[in-house]
Amino acid sequence: MTQTHWSLKVDRGRQVWEYSEEKKEATDVDIHLLLLKEPGTTTPQGCDLNKAQTPQEAILKAFQYFSKVQTEDGHWAGDYGGPMFLLPGLVITCYITGFKLPESTEKEIIRYLITRQNPTDGGWGLHIEAHSDIFGTALQYVTLRLLGVPADQPNAKKAREFLHANGGTVGIPSWGKFWLATLNVYDWEGLNPIPIEFWLLPYNLPIAPGRWWCHCRMVYLPMSYIYARKTTCKLTDLVKELRKELYITDYDKINWSEQRNNINKLDMYNPHTTLLNIINSTLGAYEKVHSGWLRKKAIDYTFEHIRYEDEQTKYIDIGPVNKVINMLCVWDREGCSPNFYKHADRLKDYLWLSNDGMKMQGYNGSQLWDTAFTIQAFIETGIANQFPECMKKANEYLDISQVPNDSPNMDVYHRHFSKGAWPFSTVDHGWPISDCTAEGIKSALALRSLSFIDPISLERVADGVNVILTLQNKDGGWASYENKRGPNWLEKFNPSEVFHNIMIDYSYVECSAACIQAMSSFRKYAPSHPRIKEINHSIQRGVKFIKSIQRQDGSWIGSWGICFTYGTWFGIEGLVAAGEPLNSPNIIKACKFLVSKQRADGGWGESFKSNVTKNYVQHPETSQIVNTGWALLSLMSAKYPDREPIERGIKFLISRQYANGDFPQESIIGVFNFNCMISYSNYKNIFPLWALARYNNLYLKNKL
Ligand SMILES: CC(C)=CCC[C@@H](C)[C@H]1CC[C@@]2(C)[C@@H]3CC[C@H]4C(C)(C)[C@@H](O)CC[C@@]45C[C@@]35CC[C@]12C
């Protein structure tokens, strides 16, 4: 019997890691997620340790194992960590507001930071696999110190040495400057202005915030509030010590206004444009003369939007960055009010425990996303009917996660329709996403092949299709949460230095292909639906868009996964689902591209540098099971005529499967804004299984 202090509690997708003083018996889910036993050695009921020899055995074992680590409420939970710039915001907010995290949580956070420290140079980077930089190192250093780690503790000392050897913290990117200024260890003069009056601009101006990508909008909303209010931590003894530790010169002698555009070269990925620098200087001058009346009006206005976002998401908020800044805003406005405590309670939704310690996730989980893919992979095996309880629970999760209504006063708060959409994580979060809605539709329809399922009605599926239809952009593609609302040149104002493409929501191959697939599937189930003409037309436009962004070499670049294998998987599946002939030049070229990237070990493996550089970069070590899964799914979807590369890929996957049916966790596989990587720990169980299932159906046709 395996014992644990920590156990995952779930409720309608909400995930909270609970600590108990006394050790309790660990569930299969806890053992799987916390790696409480050597990976590959656990045997939940029905699993054994006889390694699979054939594709069919591999499928059965993979299904059996993964079905046993489904949570009680029907979803698959996993680690959605990776970025290193999130946890510091949470800890700094707790410190400033005086909200004390439980000691058990603090201990696990410290363990995480120490585990993830670069042992060679003592720093941290933008994400767990990135090179060390100032953003990562200064923020983790501050976090350790706020959690009580003394300055002379070896890990802290080493981190400080890294900072000092690289010029100190003055050259931290703007989001780091923001957090340090709130903590009172960076002067507000050292920041370019974050003008709150912007929020009062009318929507018909192309630069109005309502046109920005929702993540950018929802981060700069509370940031501009805090900047306007200059919400700053008290000058405690620890703050005074940090002022000494972070810099190589005397804090009081730093020329702060000269630091506004000082970004360390280790951190720089997206340099400011000249236009942005000119605007920043102008805004700097405006700051000195701004109207007090207008500022107050803007502060009240932004707080009303912050409150709306909090209430619509039950205080989860759209993402980890605005989550904690909104919490700070509520504290600034109301002190430790009931709303402040609603925020504090939802911090738990972002804190994820794993074998490396406790981190802040990039979202409140990836529940719906992972569950929708799992359902589709399971159905494609042809043996889902042997797992009725698992499939029924997955269907229930899908059912309760569909967003029931539009948000109130959508226009005022710049929200898109959400009735009928699926979110990425939970219904409480509720922000609709194009491709999550698409995967929700695809999996809801796929479940209809199982006689024991009480399926989601076609009316409700049509509500999802409606959201997709409304989200199609003028270019024929689909963006992530909303339509593309602003011009491309808005990107010239991107102030973030570390991310690409944050200003507006662009059309992506992933989102577009998923929407095409969902509508193609829907028209099979509802061929005489009143909107069928509209759907057909939308699919055609989508196909044109996908073809228009295919690269010369036949690939598509991925924006949310690493990288070309991910994008190309979507590109091919989208075209095939729409009915594109398999001998079309687009499909042939895409397959050729994939085959040209196959490695000697039979698999495919990309480095995260593919995303960063926007060119295919082979993984420095070996093939990766998830990249291999995507490449194989693509080739088989296109019915690639040569079976040999496919067989080599399948052999590679089987060779990597553990004897118990689980698969190893390899390199990080997700990404956002080209430069920051994010973990999808369930992908290792989903995509190899899905590829094996397709292989069996295509070539072996063996009943399992
Ligand atoms: C505001 C910034 C720059 C940082 C905060 C992080 C978030 C922007 C991103 C963290 C999770 C992301 C990646 C989110 C996750 C799901 C994807 C997707 C797989 C559904 C994809 O296909 C569409 C875009 C995603 C919603 C994502 C957007 C960006 C994040 C929220």
Side-chain angles (χ1 to χ4, degrees):
M1 198 169 71
T2 311
Q3 301 254 305
T4 177
H5 284 294
W6 289 95
S7 192
L8 183 71
K9 297 282 172 284
V10 293
D11 175 20
R12 292 165 52 86
R14 184 178 190 198
Q15 306 166 336
V16 174
W17 281 101
E18 267 182 24
Y19 180 82
S20 82
E21 276 304 328
E22 228 176 85
K23 278 195 165 183
K24 290 189 180 152
E25 189 180 345
T27 64
D28 288 333
V29 173
D30 296 333
I31 298 174
H32 170 73
L33 295 172
L34 297 177
L35 299 186
L36 293 179
K37 288 188 187 164
E38 187 66 25
T41 65
T42 66
T43 48
Q45 200 199 355
C47 301
D48 60 44
L49 293 178
N50 303 319
K51 192 162 164 48
Q53 304 299 327
T54 64
Q56 291 85 0
E57 283 171 13
I59 294 169
L60 194 58
K61 291 185 81 77
F63 200 141
Q64 181 74 37
Y65 179 83
F66 205 43
S67 68
K68 288 291 166 200
V69 294
Q70 181 183 27
T71 59
E72 271 166 30
D73 60 358
H75 78 274
W76 277 268
D79 184 336
Y80 202 51
M84 291 303 300
F85 62 96
L86 306 174
L87 201 47
L90 184 151
V91 173
I92 290 173
T93 299
C94 289
Y95 184 78
I96 297 174
T97 59
F99 180 78
K100 180 93 182 88
L101 291 168
E103 216 172 281
S104 49
T105 299
E106 292 193 345
K107 239 169 93 182
E108 287 297 331
I109 294 179
I110 296 174
R111 186 164 75 82
Y112 174 68
L113 296 181
I114 289 176
T115 316
R116 290 293 173 185
Q117 186 173 26
N118 183 329
T120 319
D121 61 22
W124 292 265
L126 188 62
H127 57 87
I128 51 174
E129 293 189 15
H131 66 270
S132 302
D133 60 18
I134 303 299
F135 193 23
T137 309
L139 289 185
Q140 315 317 314
Y141 178 80
V142 162
T143 308
L144 282 174
R145 296 283 286 118
L146 296 182
L147 293 176
V149 173
D152 58 0
Q153 188 271 4
N155 298 81
K157 238 174 111 188
K158 205 157 177 205
R160 211 164 50 244
E161 278 160 18
F162 176 86
L163 286 176
H164 289 193
N166 288 288
T169 303
V170 281
I172 193 169
S174 53
W175 288 22
K177 289 180 182 0
F178 170 82
W179 278 119
L180 297 185
T182 61
L183 187 61
N184 211 352
V185 298
Y186 205 97
D187 198 286
W188 286 106
E189 267 299 295
L191 272 74
N192 281 311
I194 314 173
I196 196 163
E197 289 79 2
F198 246 81
W199 288 92
L200 303 174
L201 292 177
Y203 185 81
N204 42 17
L205 284 182
I207 55 164
R211 297 179 178 275
W212 303 353
W213 183 38
C214 54
H215 274 281
C216 180
R217 188 167 84 227
M218 300 319 286
V219 165
Y220 281 100
L221 174 77
M223 254 192 193
S224 64
Y225 174 97
I226 296 290
Y227 180 82
R229 297 268 312 137
K230 301 287 179 317
T231 309
T232 311
C233 186
K234 281 195 285 234
L235 192 62
T236 62
D237 288 344
L238 181 54
V239 167
K240 285 184 199 158
E241 284 170 31
L242 282 170
R243 284 181 170 196
K244 286 194 194 121
E245 294 160 17
L246 289 170
Y247 304 98
I248 51 178
T249 46
D250 196 345
Y251 186 84
D252 297 317
K253 298 216 172 92
I254 295 172
N255 183 337
W256 288 105
S257 56
E258 272 182 15
Q259 309 310 325
R260 292 183 181 187
N261 296 318
N262 175 14
I263 310 298
N264 194 295
K265 61 178 187 311
L266 289 170
D267 297 66
M268 186 59 98
Y269 179 63
N270 185 69
H272 292 177
T273 58
T274 314
L275 181 65
L276 179 62
N277 285 338
I278 295 170
I279 288 178
N280 277 336
S281 314
T282 317
L283 291 172
Y286 167 76
E287 268 308 296
K288 298 204 172 97
V289 297
H290 72 264
S291 134
W293 170 83
L294 198 63
R295 179 132 306 179
K296 181 175 177 311
K297 192 172 151 124
I299 288 175
D300 293 344
Y301 180 86
T302 48
F303 192 77
E304 188 195 312
H305 280 244
I306 290 166
R307 170 66 29 94
Y308 179 88
E309 158 75 346
D310 285 349
E311 285 178 353
Q312 288 309 304
T313 60
K314 319 257 183 314
Y315 288 79
I316 298 167
D317 296 323
I318 194 170
V321 183
N322 81 326
K323 159 72 198 162
V324 286
I325 314 182
N326 279 16
M327 179 166 160
L328 193 58
C329 295
V330 170
W331 176 80
D332 176 85
R333 189 93 172 176
E334 310 176 340
C336 293
S337 64
N339 291 328
F340 173 79
Y341 285 109
K342 283 186 198 160
H343 253 302
D345 181 53
R346 287 294 191 166
L347 290 176
K348 296 177 202 151
D349 300 47
Y350 282 93
L351 288 170
W352 183 261
L353 186 66
S354 200
N355 59 323
D356 53 358
M358 190 169 265
K359 62 206 73 173
M360 186 178 197
Q361 304 192 98
Y363 224 73
N364 64 327
S366 51
Q367 298 82 328
L368 182 280
W369 186 246
D370 290 340
T371 303
F373 278 140
T374 304
I375 291 172
Q376 294 174 68
F378 277 4
I379 298 278
E380 207 163 321
T381 62
I383 54 167
N385 54 350
Q386 296 175 31
F387 296 82
E389 288 320 306
C390 162
M391 299 312 292
K392 279 187 204 163
K393 275 182 1 186
N395 183 54
E396 266 165 39
Y397 189 70
L398 208 58
D399 183 8
I400 60 136
S401 305
Q402 190 180 20
V403 184
N405 293 310
D406 292 329
S407 305
N409 297 321
M410 287 157 46
D411 292 346
V412 176
Y413 297 98
H414 314 301
R415 292 288 303 258
H416 191 83
F417 305 106
S418 38
K419 180 173 190 259
W422 271 274
F424 181 65
S425 54
T426 60
V427 70
D428 278 359
H429 180 292
W431 274 82
I433 305 185
S434 67
D435 56 356
C436 299
T437 304
E439 299 303 339
I441 292 173
K442 285 165 65 191
S443 44
L445 294 175
L447 279 164
R448 290 182 156 249
S449 66
L450 301 176
S451 57
F452 50 81
I453 289 290
D454 179 13
I456 295 178
S457 71
L458 285 180
E459 281 83 356
R460 278 177 57 193
V461 175
D463 287 342
V465 172
N466 177 54
V467 173
I468 286 180
L469 286 169
T470 63
L471 278 173
Q472 189 165 28
N473 287 327
K474 289 204 182 91
D475 62 12
W478 280 263
S480 60
Y481 292 76
E482 292 161 348
N483 295 94
K484 182 179 178 213
R485 296 178 176 176
N488 286 0
W489 54 257
L490 262 186
E491 209 54 50
K492 291 192 189 301
F493 298 98
N494 177 351
S496 80
E497 300 109 9
V498 295
F499 305 117
H500 273 180
N501 289 12
I502 66 163
M503 293 305 294
I504 52 171
D505 210 344
Y506 298 88
S507 290
Y508 296 102
V509 66
E510 296 99 318
C511 301
S512 307
C515 291
I516 291 174
Q517 291 175 63
M519 289 190 293
S520 303
S521 183
F522 179 72
R523 68 181 173 185
K524 285 190 196 129
Y525 284 88
S528 45
H529 191 271
R531 296 180 77 180
I532 208 72
K533 265 196 182 154
E534 216 183 313
I535 291 171
N536 288 339
H537 182 59
S538 167
I539 293 175
Q540 275 168 14
R541 288 178 59 218
V543 166
K544 262 197 188 155
F545 170 76
I546 289 192
K547 288 184 178 173
S548 76
I549 57 162
Q550 187 174 20
R551 292 187 163 206
Q552 269 303 315
D553 62 7
S555 70
W556 284 269
I557 188 166
S559 294
W560 309 108
I562 298 173
C563 174
F564 291 92
T565 42
Y566 188 63
T568 305
W569 173 52
F570 277 100
I572 291 182
E573 295 273 18
L575 293 182
V576 172
E580 179 77 2
L582 298 181
N583 62 358
S584 95
N586 301 79
I587 293 185
I588 291 179
K589 229 172 146 185
C591 291
K592 252 192 180 165
F593 168 83
L594 287 174
V595 172
S596 77
K597 300 296 178 195
Q598 191 170 23
R599 299 161 69 114
D601 59 15
W604 282 258
E606 279 186 87
S607 154
F608 70 80
K609 301 248 165 78
S610 277
N611 301 81
V612 177
T613 62
K614 304 184 184 174
N615 284 307
Y616 198 103
V617 181
Q618 293 283 4
H619 189 280
E621 284 142 25
T622 86
S623 290
Q624 303 287 300
I625 52 175
V626 178
N627 291 129
T628 305
W630 292 331
L632 289 172
L633 283 167
S634 316
L635 293 175
M636 289 189 283
S637 174
K639 308 255 175 0
Y640 186 67
D642 184 1
R643 191 166 156 178
E644 195 262 351
I646 297 174
E647 247 157 31
R648 288 175 54 223
I650 291 290
K651 279 197 185 124
F652 170 79
L653 288 182
I654 298 176
S655 76
R656 287 295 165 103
Q657 189 182 30
Y658 288 133
N660 67 350
D662 193 7
F663 285 90
Q665 179 58 58
E666 299 178 329
S667 297
I668 200 155
I669 202 71
V671 62
F672 54 88
N673 304 108
F674 292 96
N675 199 29
C676 192
M677 307 304 136
I678 190 156
S679 306
Y680 285 83
S681 63
N682 286 318
Y683 280 11
K684 67 183 189 312
N685 298 89
I686 299 170
F687 291 106
L689 167 62
W690 200 342
L692 286 160
R694 191 165 293 178
Y695 178 76
N696 187 46
N697 294 335
L698 201 58
Y699 296 110
L700 311 179
K701 298 195 177 67
N702 277 350
K703 282 237 174 291
L704 295 171

